[in-house]
Amino acid sequence: MSTAPRPTPLTLRELHEYVGGELVGSPEATVIGVASLDQAGPGDLAFVTSERHLKSPQTATIGALLVGRRIADCPSPQIVVDNPAYAFARAAQQFFARPARMRGIAEGITRGDGVTIGADVSIWPGVTLGDRVTIGARVTLYPGVFIGDDSVIGDDSLLYPNVVVREGCRLGARVILHSGTVIGSDGFGYVQHQGRHQKIPQLGGVLIEDDVELGANVAVDRATFGDTIIKLGSKIDNLVQIAHNVVVGEHNILVAQVGIAGSTTLGRYVMVGGQAGLADHLQIGDQVMIAAKSGVTRSLEPNQIVSGAPVMPHTTFLKAQAVIPQLPELRQRVRELEERLATLEQATKSSAKSRKSRRT
């Protein structure tokens, strides 16, 4: 299924001028929507990234294709680019995404003292702004958003319904927070005394830098002291837990249900697979890839791929996994070898006794 049609068709000349590459076909051909390769129709733009899709008969009925290399004998117009998926994403954002419509400030909001609001904002009913809150230009706050005292929301940021940004937190420009996400919840800090748990006040904040996107129901705890930090350009999936004083480096990817314990630092371009867990006070180097469901209990040097719980080099993990289905047979074989060994030992003892008796 394609997107809703554009009000006016987009010519391939316009598209080519924007994404670059090599145009194969008529520059005056047009598209009116974008769609996946298997659902695209005569008026749609799609992209091809895998070799196995190049000979698909479906390509004959598609309005235009973004491809990594020229497809011979394909009747659809093509634009050949280095990275078709990236070109498709840019084109979809530029030409087919609906622009935000600024609504101004609704009457049904709660506003504290000393609030500063930038130009061209869209603040819906049911939003609550605490004292001394700063809202940048072109910010969108959907119903149910709560911004606590002394917090800052940077320009062009977008907060979907029921997002909570607690007191003393700072968001940079173009930050996107999806519904149910909580920024600045108390860090999980307690000290045990005489069998009871005494809460440690969480006095720090949260700093989220520019171009960060957080999925639905993400929890980012405030620091005990200082800041919990999510750095430039990082993208975080749904249901991720980031504990107090964690530092997530630039351009990280954290997939759903990742949990990071307190005071762990991730370097740049780190990728963490779904349901992986990281212990506290670790240092994760740049460009580390952590596979799904891994348990990270030690710091990791840069530029490596790890798997398993506890983690090990990915190649070692694959070898270990290959052995697991054979364990029942290996167990039976060990039992048989133990029985044979016991028989041999018994025979050796009997032979030794026999020789000893003959000598005497």
Side-chain angles (χ1 to χ4, degrees):
M1 183 176 67
S2 67
T3 57
R6 276 172 53 86
T8 56
L10 174 69
T11 68
L12 294 195
R13 185 190 307 278
E14 295 173 286
L15 183 60
H16 177 237
E17 288 174 354
Y18 183 70
V19 301
E22 175 193 0
L23 175 59
V24 180
S26 171
E28 304 309 318
T30 61
V31 291
I32 58 173
V34 290
S36 62
L37 185 63
D38 59 342
Q39 295 180 327
D44 293 324
L45 172 70
F47 69 98
V48 176
T49 57
S50 174
E51 292 289 330
R52 67 178 182 272
H53 296 145
L54 294 179
K55 296 181 181 180
S56 170
Q58 178 94 16
T59 59
T61 64
I62 295 176
L65 291 168
L66 291 165
V67 298
R69 64 180 180 86
R70 186 169 179 170
I71 305 175
D73 303 321
C74 176
S76 297
Q78 306 164 47
I79 299 179
V80 185
V81 291
D82 292 336
N83 189 335
Y86 175 67
F88 181 84
R90 292 185 65 233
Q93 181 67 41
Q94 175 70 16
F95 298 110
F96 298 97
R98 294 178 180 177
R101 182 167 62 92
M102 297 307 172
R103 301 167 55 95
I105 303 173
E107 293 182 359
I109 74 166
T110 300
R111 189 188 319 198
D113 296 330
V115 172
T116 302
I117 299 177
D120 300 322
V121 297
S122 181
I123 302 180
W124 291 59
V127 168
T128 299
L129 305 177
D131 295 338
R132 299 172 300 280
V133 165
T134 299
I135 305 295
R138 300 170 300 280
V139 167
T140 298
L141 306 178
Y142 279 103
V145 168
F146 174 90
I147 310 295
D149 297 348
D150 302 299
S151 289
V152 177
I153 310 298
D155 294 346
D156 300 293
S157 291
L158 170 60
L159 278 61
Y160 282 102
N162 301 318
V163 165
V164 173
V165 179
R166 292 251 318 258
E167 63 277 4
C169 296
R170 293 163 288 159
L171 275 60
R174 300 172 300 280
V175 170
I176 300 174
L177 304 182
H178 288 269
S179 295
T181 285
V182 178
I183 306 300
S185 47
D186 282 0
F188 194 69
Y190 299 89
V191 59
Q192 192 177 74
H193 178 67
Q194 296 181 347
R196 305 191 68 174
H197 302 289
Q198 174 65 45
K199 184 178 180 66
I200 300 171
Q202 304 295 293
L203 304 176
V206 175
L207 170 62
I208 298 179
E209 296 185 354
D210 297 348
D211 300 304
V212 169
E213 182 167 2
L214 275 60
N217 297 308
V218 173
V220 182
D221 291 349
R222 68 175 54 253
T224 307
F225 306 106
D227 287 313
T228 301
I229 302 174
I230 302 177
K231 293 188 176 181
L232 177 73
S234 286
K235 313 299 182 185
I236 298 176
D237 198 2
N238 303 334
L239 298 167
V240 169
Q241 157 67 16
I242 298 175
H244 55 192
N245 293 96
V246 165
V247 177
V248 176
E250 292 93 338
H251 306 291
N252 280 203
I253 289 284
L254 308 182
V255 184
Q257 299 183 7
V258 163
I260 305 176
S263 300
T264 284
T265 297
L266 279 63
R268 302 169 68 244
Y269 298 101
V270 172
M271 301 180 68
V272 185
Q275 297 187 333
L278 282 69
D280 58 289
H281 293 84
L282 303 182
Q283 298 288 325
I284 308 300
D286 295 346
Q287 297 182 311
V288 167
M289 298 178 65
I290 300 170
K293 295 190 175 182
S294 294
V296 183
T297 57
R298 58 182 175 84
S299 295
L300 298 173
E301 295 296 321
N303 301 299
Q304 59 176 313
I305 303 174
V306 295
S307 308
V311 291
M312 61 192 77
H314 186 59
T315 52
T316 303
F317 174 79
L318 292 177
K319 293 175 183 177
Q321 289 297 108
V323 172
I324 288 175
Q326 304 174 41
L327 288 179
E329 290 79 7
L330 290 172
R331 182 188 184 199
Q332 182 59 35
R333 188 173 180 185
V334 168
R335 284 179 173 176
E336 293 172 354
L337 291 171
E338 286 176 338
E339 291 173 358
R340 291 174 60 185
L341 179 61
T343 301
L344 289 171
E345 288 176 343
Q346 186 62 38
T348 301
K349 289 179 181 178
S350 298
S351 176
K353 287 181 179 179
S354 176
R355 290 195 300 270
K356 183 176 180 181
S357 61
R358 284 200 300 269
R359 286 196 298 269
T360 60

